[in-house]
Amino acid sequence: MMIRRRLLAPTAIAAAAALLLAGCGRDTDSPAQADDAVELTSGPASGTVTIWAQGTEGEALTEFIKPFEEANPDVTVKVTAVPWDSAQNKYQTAVAGGTTPDIGMLGSDWMPTFANALQPKPEAIDTSGMFDFATTSTTFDGVEYAVPWYVETRVLFYRTDLAEQAGFDTFPTDWDGFKALAQAYQDEAGAEYGVALPSGGWNSFLSSLPFAWSNGAEVMDADQTTWTLDTPEVTGAVDYIDSFFADGIANRNPDAEAGSTTAAFVDGSVPMFMSGPWDIPGLKTAGGEGFEDKFGVGLVPASPDGTSTSFAAGANLAVFKDAENPEAAWKLVEWLSQPEVQVDWFSAVNDLPAQESAWDDPTLTADPKVAGFGEQLKSVKIAPTLTTWPQVSAAADTQLEQILRGDKDPAVALGELQSTADSLGTGQ
């Protein structure tokens, strides 16, 4: 998978957590209160606002916010584009040194680490129309510390032309049908492998969670106090994934070179994989004229007793405690959170809107591939909002690789993972 470049490597974020928890006093500081938030005035924004943003977002933001600057002629917004591979170090150093920007673009999975360095969201900024999972990622002890900017989820990309050749007119909705399609891609459409699935390495466990969630599994209890990683539901999902490798339908050791998944999808050698919305334009470009009519997206298949459920993530806009111009910063965040602005942002960079009402716009409904992501967003879960999750996830990656590449018994591996998670605790 596929967790887009937004997610930090587990070891990196764990190190960041250790530093920030020490520097910000997570164990000793009192939680922020709602009345600590900035009160927004009705006038236009003024002064200088600094914002750091990563990747494509950082590159596109300067041009995109010109309408905001035109509507607020006394404000100047300075955007710093930060590479994803150095963002973690840059933010943690800035927090420790009191040199943060006014606004930071924080991945939803970063929030537990950085929460104590952030200001509470002003009450005047309404997030009630946003996806619940997105606002959940910003909320600690009942206080929201950021505003969701965009969201992500994962669906199955599949070759519709080769599926028809293999005898499938529609994408399967259950596990049996999904595996049958993957097998038919090989038997009837000449594919080398029917589907690309994670077999180990960074975030492979997180990439597998949609199958576990679609089998009724949870990785924690509802209160996030107890890990539940060795249940029959998790084990059943791992057994199901493992069966693709055991039957030769998926490759245990796929090519990890950048662009290899796209190339295999375009040439039909591996006509199905799971990923996010950013791959839509990339596949159209790689496949050339007419290729957009040869592929579609399907929802995560469900087990016989489960419901299609995928992974969700995204990025939030947060204002740091050390912000020099917090009111103007929050006004920019508020502008970027408007449904019509989020639709324009999707058109600019293909980021999915966090505002649910934005999904009624023809810009998102006209393309069935994009609309498919909107449908999947109705049933998603996020990773645990805990500082120990990166360590648990990294341990899970190791165990999953030993199962899928080393034939380790799933029950044994998940039992060991449960013990590791119990020893790490929840960080609360």
Side-chain angles (χ1 to χ4, degrees):
M1 181 169 139
M2 68 214 172
I3 301 304
R4 201 178 184 181
R5 63 242 184 242
R6 310 189 193 296
L7 301 193
L8 292 175
T11 52
I13 198 169
L19 175 60
L20 288 171
L21 296 188
C24 298
R26 188 178 182 89
D27 294 333
T28 57
D29 283 2
S30 299
Q33 302 298 316
D35 56 11
D36 293 334
V38 170
E39 290 190 16
L40 300 186
T41 62
S42 59
S46 61
T48 299
V49 176
T50 56
I51 178 171
W52 293 356
Q54 291 82 262
T56 303
E57 289 73 18
E59 296 167 2
L61 195 55
T62 297
E63 182 68 23
F64 184 80
I65 59 177
K66 284 185 177 180
F68 174 80
E69 293 178 308
E70 292 171 0
N72 299 268
D74 293 327
V75 76
T76 299
V77 181
K78 295 183 178 180
V79 179
T80 298
V82 181
W84 276 102
D85 58 2
S86 63
Q88 173 259 324
N89 286 331
K90 190 172 180 68
Y91 279 113
Q92 75 178 56
T93 300
V95 170
T99 58
T100 61
D102 294 317
I103 304 170
M105 168 186 162
L106 303 180
S108 59
D109 59 318
W110 299 12
M111 294 301 297
T113 297
F114 287 96
N116 277 357
L118 307 176
Q119 295 186 12
K121 175 191 73 66
E123 186 177 350
I125 300 179
D126 183 10
T127 58
S128 62
M130 294 184 167
F131 287 105
D132 286 344
F133 72 83
T135 55
T136 295
S137 75
T138 73
T139 305
F140 300 88
D141 296 324
V143 178
E144 294 178 73
Y145 287 92
V147 173
W149 190 13
Y150 61 81
V151 296
E152 298 178 358
T153 189
R154 307 296 180 269
V155 298
L156 275 303
F157 285 78
Y158 73 107
R159 288 286 298 271
T160 53
D161 57 337
L162 299 182
E164 290 178 4
Q165 185 177 330
F168 287 76
D169 294 328
T170 59
F171 190 80
T173 59
D174 59 24
W175 279 9
D176 287 346
F178 178 67
K179 189 172 183 181
L181 171 59
Q183 183 71 70
Y185 271 137
Q186 290 180 295
D187 296 342
E188 306 297 334
E192 182 177 4
Y193 294 100
V195 62
L197 293 173
S199 60
W202 175 48
N203 271 333
S204 57
F205 182 75
L206 191 60
S207 303
S208 303
L209 278 180
F211 290 101
W213 285 327
S214 297
N215 193 36
E218 298 289 350
V219 296
M220 300 198 78
D221 64 358
D223 296 329
Q224 290 199 140
T225 58
T226 304
W227 295 100
T228 56
L229 295 162
D230 61 349
T231 63
E233 292 80 9
V234 177
T235 304
V238 173
D239 283 336
Y240 176 69
I241 295 169
D242 192 33
S243 72
F244 284 80
F245 298 102
D247 295 344
I249 303 172
N251 187 0
R252 294 181 190 272
N253 299 289
D255 186 351
E257 185 177 349
S260 58
T261 300
T262 296
F265 187 78
V266 170
D267 69 23
S269 57
V270 187
M272 191 159 51
F273 70 102
M274 185 182 289
S275 191
W278 54 87
D279 269 322
I280 295 176
L283 290 171
K284 290 178 180 178
T285 300
E289 185 178 356
F291 188 70
E292 64 180 296
D293 297 325
K294 296 181 180 180
F295 74 95
V297 301
L299 305 187
V300 174
S303 72
D305 298 320
T307 302
S308 172
T309 304
S310 191
F311 171 79
N316 303 319
L317 294 173
V319 175
F320 287 95
K321 286 182 177 179
D322 292 327
E324 294 185 2
N325 193 356
E327 184 178 6
W330 281 118
K331 287 182 177 181
L332 174 57
V333 171
E334 183 178 32
W335 182 78
L336 288 167
S337 72
Q338 299 306 303
E340 64 274 13
V341 175
Q342 293 202 340
V343 170
D344 290 341
W345 186 236
F346 169 79
S347 297
V349 297
N350 230 52
D351 284 342
L352 303 179
Q355 288 278 11
E356 291 191 73
S357 64
W359 286 87
D360 295 328
D361 191 281
T363 304
L364 286 99
T365 60
D367 185 341
K369 299 177 181 63
V370 176
F373 281 92
E375 187 64 26
Q376 186 66 76
L377 282 167
K378 296 176 182 178
S379 180
V380 293
K381 293 182 183 293
I382 62 174
T385 53
L386 300 171
T387 56
T388 54
W389 167 249
Q391 295 165 278
V392 173
S393 181
D397 290 343
T398 299
Q399 293 288 0
L400 188 65
E401 184 166 335
Q402 291 176 0
I403 295 169
L404 301 180
R405 295 183 181 176
D407 294 326
K408 188 172 185 178
D409 181 79
V412 172
L414 293 173
E416 293 175 359
L417 175 60
Q418 179 69 37
S419 297
T420 298
D422 288 342
S423 66
L424 289 169
T426 65
Q428 294 179 335

